Each structure stands twice: as C-alpha cells, then as structure tokens.
Amino acid sequence: MKQEINPKETNRAIAFELWMKSPMPMVTVTKTFDVTRLCKVSRRRGLKFNMLLCWCIGKAASGIEEFYMLPQYGKVYKYDCMAINVIVDNIKGGLSFCDVAVCADLEAFNANYLHLTETVRQTCQDILGDEAVSVGTSAVIVTELDSIVNQYSGIYTNPFLAWGRYHRGWLKTTLPISFQFHHAQMDGSHAARFLEELQKTINLI
C-alpha cells in the first residue's frame, strides 16, 4: 500500500527541506562486489545470475526503513512492500520493464522473475505496480564497466542500481555496481549500510 506522509514527522525532515528542491538531488556511489558465490550458485543450480543479484538486492534493501519512503513531486510517500524493476530486451528490439515483487523465498522470486521477464519480452508491454516501492536495476552485460551514472529526469526518484559484465580473476569474480539514490530519501550512511548488507547477502546465498 502507498500513502502520503508528512516528512516533518519522519527522520528525513531536515533532509527533505535541504534536498527536495535541489536541481540535482541524486547521489551515485559505486562499490566493487565479490560475486564469486553468485556465479557458483548460478552454475550449480542453473539459475540466472541477474535474477540472483536482483533477489539479493531486494533482500538487502527490504531491511532498511529508508527504502520504503520515496520523495515524489514535492511529497513523500510511504510503502509497505517492495519490488525490483527489471529492464528487458523485447522481441521488437526495444526495452520493456517489469516489477518483480520482493520476497524471502528465492524459488518463488525466481519463478515470478522468469514469468514476468518473458511476458514483457514477448508482449512488449510493461508490467508495473503502483502499490510497491520500486528499486530500479539495469544490467549492461555486453562489456565490463567501472561505473554507471544514470541521468536524473526529475520524475523517476526511485533508488537505482546498474552494472556491467562481471570480471573473472584468478581467485574471485568481481562486479562494480553503481547505486543512485535521492538525497531526501537517504544519506550516505544508509547507502553504505545497504551496500554492506548486499555483500553479506551475496556471500550467504
């Protein structure tokens, strides 16, 4: 469920006043992750790497309160559920989008991910929800990238993660991931906590 809340009654009151009217309120940080474990699980269980990473993102983000409060159009909305937004190459050569609900059950998430991504790929019709806060993702896997800085449109204020192709080293496989967030929603400390939780989730999957 989505409901408007008074930012002055939240722990983001000062941040809302400081950053809501900023011409560029988005912050981007990049961290290189050890994704060796994800690659092993992907190979052994025949699961898509990007699906596994999206599940880890949802699990890490769902434990952080600030992710559920989203600044939009000069207001703040609070959500009680979360989805991972996935970009899909459709059969017409364009891009389609779908929201995959975050859940603790990896098998259920995988089934939903595969169904939704294949549906939007074939139909070229987006499947998006209004009732869940959306965490955006974008995988540009045709090349290795050090960082991605996304554009700020002034409309899409959701947290957003992007990455390229992972790098296989002698002892481990690594992947730089860029994380963009609205400064009225969270501070650097919240972002750092999320990134730390993401690495822990990847290590324990």
Side-chain angles (χ1 to χ4, degrees), residues 11-32:
N11 61 358
R12 303 306 300 158
I14 296 176
F16 183 86
E17 291 295 326
L18 288 173
W19 301 109
M20 199 62 216
K21 294 181 181 179
S22 169
M24 181 54 208
M26 308 302 286
V27 180
T28 301
V29 294
T30 301
K31 176 179 173 66
T32 298

Side-chain angles (χ1 to χ4, degrees), residues 90-110:
N90 62 45
I91 59 173
K92 293 183 179 179
L95 298 177
S96 296
F97 303 81
C98 62
D99 284 340
V100 185
V102 169
C103 66
D105 188 323
L106 176 57
E107 292 186 7
F109 182 87
N110 179 50

Side-chain angles (χ1 to χ4, degrees), residues 104-120:
D105 188 323
L106 176 57
E107 292 186 7
F109 182 87
N110 179 50
N112 199 22
Y113 177 98
L114 294 176
H115 170 69
L116 290 173
T117 54
E118 182 60 20
T119 298
V120 299

Side-chain angles (χ1 to χ4, degrees), residues 49-100:
F49 176 89
N50 281 342
M51 181 282 297
L52 290 169
L53 183 52
C54 285
W55 182 82
C56 290
I57 289 168
K59 184 171 176 58
S62 62
I64 298 175
E65 179 183 1
E66 283 72 18
F67 271 86
Y68 293 93
M69 291 186 291
L70 187 65
Q72 289 179 307
Y73 310 112
K75 301 178 180 180
V76 174
Y77 295 92
K78 188 172 184 179
Y79 296 77
D80 58 9
C81 55
M82 182 182 295
I84 302 298
N85 182 264
V86 181
I87 302 175
V88 180
D89 293 320
N90 62 45
I91 59 173
K92 293 183 179 179
L95 298 177
S96 296
F97 303 81
C98 62
D99 284 340
V100 185

